[in-house]
Amino acid sequence: MRRPPDYRLVALVLTTALVRFVPMWAWWWRPCVRDECTYRDLAASIVRGEGMVGTRGWLWAPGYPGLLALHGTFLGKMHDIKWTQLFAAVLTTALIYNFTRARFGRSAATIAGALFALSPTHVFYASSFWSECIYTLLLFGMVQAIAWARGERNDGESIRHDEPTAWRAATAGALLGACVLFRGVATYMLPCLVLALGWGRWRVPGLGRAAVAAVLGAAIVVAPYSAYASKKFDAFILSDRTLGQMMWLGNNDYPPVTFDYGNGLIRDEDFDRVTATGRRHCPFVYNPALQDACEMQNGVDWVKENPGEFLERVPLRVSQMLNPHSLLTRNIRTGRWAGLPAWGDELIVALVPVFSILTLVAGTLGAVTRGRGWYVAGASAIVAYHVAAIACLAGLTRYRVPLEPLWMVFAGAYLAAPCRPPRLAWPLLAALSLLMLRFLPVAWPAWGSWW
């Protein structure tokens, strides 16, 4: 018998599309900013037949520039990627809703879906030239594929279990491979996928085949580009070569550099002035793989010479990542989203941290009180891995954005049925609050800081 449509999901999907279409239409020709411009320059190189090229010593992951190039080639304008991102956001809302409903019910799913659909930060990325919107879909899609690979089948309000198959695990691996092509940090996320696949079923027959299939699925997606880039730059390259540059930004004689508003360097003059106080870049070479290797070695040497400073900076880097504001705040405060009345600017600037804090705090409470099974283990491992990577390099709020939907599932579960958390949760929440609220005042010039 055919099930009637879920009108809550329909409403969330329509809301997701509407709140993204309006700013997309209003600021369609908004000038690019910093990395947005680099993405477009790289895409233009691909369109010209040059393929992926280095940019100021960086070799970026090819996924988003390649996608921009496809839009420019076949649709005539790179700006049309915004329509693809709007569709990606709608699909992400549906995935979050259905995933949460099967585990925690419709009320929890509605809250989780609304947190994503209405989040000003996620609305911003869907209408901009950043990879976050697509990467978020790929990352959450991988999590959904893990559930499928484990034999879970969403049947209305519950989960049924079918016999898992290797090709389902290969699908999860393929989505991980796509994540790697869009963001190099995903390269080392494979253990998180295997952990989630095997959690609670280590002795189940076929787990080994599923793990191998996941690895092969990721390899099949990444291998063609890896072979191309490795040959072109005469060095082994999986997806990108940016680690050395991140080491230069975060492990240097100046504090770790970020580009968020009020928590970093917006103007190029300020960036040059600050970075001039640290060690210089390696001598420039046209091969970005060699450039990156040199920068990475210099960064490792700095850490060896300054172990205490390196450890002291860990909370700072994590705070930079957990800063509840976003690049939307930067765009508004620097006039990139001109046209709104003053009260509209202030409303959005205030709502950005509200959604971030609600997601992180309620999500953590939900993970502690309602989390169970493979999902809490897998989601926690993915989040912990990304936080650990940033703790060693340099933080930026955009690195947090794709992880938020993983926590929105738990936030929906907790907000739909609040309960008293165990005592162990309070130290965790205290540490999270200190890290997260460190840069809360920076979005308001009259406030600026806590002290």
Side-chain angles (χ1 to χ4, degrees):
M1 183 177 178
R2 187 177 181 181
R3 294 198 307 268
D6 189 330
Y7 291 106
R8 296 190 185 193
L9 175 57
V10 172
L12 284 171
V13 163
L14 293 176
T15 300
T16 301
L18 179 62
V19 298
R20 282 155 179 78
F21 171 77
V22 172
M24 185 177 77
W25 172 78
W27 288 277
W28 181 264
W29 297 110
R30 178 183 60 84
C32 62
V33 183
R34 303 197 71 92
D35 289 1
E36 288 182 296
C37 303
T38 304
Y39 278 128
R40 295 178 65 181
D41 291 343
L42 290 172
S45 297
I46 296 173
V47 172
R48 290 193 301 267
E50 300 172 12
M52 282 296 293
V53 297
T55 171
R56 297 188 298 277
W58 302 66
L59 180 63
W60 288 20
Y64 196 69
L67 192 59
L68 274 172
L70 285 175
H71 284 78
T73 299
F74 294 104
L75 298 178
K77 297 188 294 294
M78 292 183 190
H79 275 73
D80 287 328
I81 198 173
K82 295 181 180 182
W83 295 109
T84 300
Q85 291 175 172
L86 187 151
F87 175 76
V90 167
L91 185 54
T92 303
T93 296
L95 287 174
I96 293 172
Y97 180 88
N98 286 325
F99 190 88
T100 308
R101 182 185 64 177
R103 284 156 181 79
F104 302 112
R106 296 181 70 192
S107 295
T110 303
I111 295 172
L115 284 173
F116 179 79
L118 299 173
S119 167
T121 296
H122 288 276
V123 171
F124 163 75
Y125 280 110
S127 57
S128 304
F129 291 108
W130 297 92
S131 64
E132 269 60 35
C133 184
I134 304 295
Y135 184 79
T136 299
L137 172 61
L138 293 172
L139 183 62
F140 200 88
M142 181 194 75
V143 171
Q144 177 65 70
I146 292 172
W148 190 44
R150 288 176 57 92
E152 293 186 1
R153 179 162 57 89
N154 184 357
D155 186 14
E157 299 291 337
S158 62
I159 297 174
R160 296 185 180 182
H161 291 269
D162 295 333
E163 185 66 25
T165 59
W167 70 270
R168 293 181 181 180
T171 302
L175 286 167
L176 172 59
C179 287
V180 172
L181 293 180
F182 271 79
R183 184 169 288 178
V185 70
T187 299
Y188 306 101
M189 203 160 55
L190 189 59
C192 302
L193 188 156
V194 175
L195 173 71
L197 276 176
W199 188 266
R201 43 177 288 187
W202 302 109
R203 297 182 180 179
V204 173
L207 176 60
R209 290 194 302 273
V212 170
V215 173
L216 289 175
I220 289 171
V221 171
V222 175
Y225 176 76
S226 178
Y228 153 79
S230 298
K231 181 179 180 180
K232 180 173 182 177
F233 298 105
D234 196 26
F236 177 71
I237 296 169
L238 199 62
S239 173
D240 72 345
R241 291 298 292 266
T242 59
L243 181 58
Q245 297 285 356
M246 291 296 294
M247 293 285 282
W248 183 79
L249 288 172
N251 294 287
N252 212 316
D253 294 331
Y254 48 78
V257 173
T258 182
F259 303 101
D260 287 304
Y261 179 81
N263 169 32
L265 308 172
I266 306 300
R267 299 188 308 166
D268 290 338
E269 312 89 84
D270 295 332
F271 177 81
D272 293 338
R273 175 177 52 79
V274 170
T275 56
T277 63
R279 69 173 184 275
R280 294 181 179 274
H281 274 300
C282 291
F284 178 77
V285 294
Y286 284 100
N287 188 325
L290 296 179
Q291 181 87 22
D292 189 72
C294 177
E295 298 289 5
M296 186 166 62
Q297 185 58 54
N298 286 348
V300 171
D301 292 341
W302 187 91
V303 173
K304 290 179 179 178
E305 295 169 3
N306 304 274
E309 179 72 12
F310 171 79
L311 292 176
E312 288 176 6
R313 291 182 176 190
V314 168
L316 170 61
R317 305 175 212 262
V318 177
S319 290
Q320 290 173 336
M321 179 184 183
L322 297 180
N323 172 6
H325 299 289
S326 72
L327 296 189
L328 171 58
T329 307
R330 183 181 77 183
N331 274 259
I332 289 177
R333 288 301 189 215
T334 56
R336 299 284 180 172
W337 272 32
L340 288 173
W343 64 265
D345 287 343
E346 296 307 316
L347 177 62
I348 294 175
V349 168
L351 284 176
V352 167
V354 167
F355 273 82
S356 299
I357 293 170
L358 186 61
T359 296
L360 293 175
V361 172
T364 300
L365 287 171
V368 171
T369 60
R370 304 290 303 280
R372 62 179 69 88
W374 73 267
Y375 180 63
V376 69
S380 298
I382 292 171
V383 170
Y385 160 67
H386 281 80
V387 171
I390 294 305
C392 297
L393 301 170
L396 192 64
T397 55
R398 64 175 289 215
Y399 301 149
R400 181 194 74 244
V401 171
L403 304 175
E404 289 185 348
L406 301 177
W407 241 229
M408 288 174 182
V409 174
F410 294 127
Y414 184 79
L415 293 173
C419 60
R420 184 179 180 84
R423 292 181 180 178
L424 184 63
W426 297 114
L428 182 62
L429 283 176
L432 175 64
S433 298
L434 288 174
L435 292 168
M436 183 174 50
L437 299 180
R438 178 173 182 169
F439 295 112
L440 177 65
V442 298
W444 294 278
W447 187 3
S449 67
W450 294 103
W451 50 79

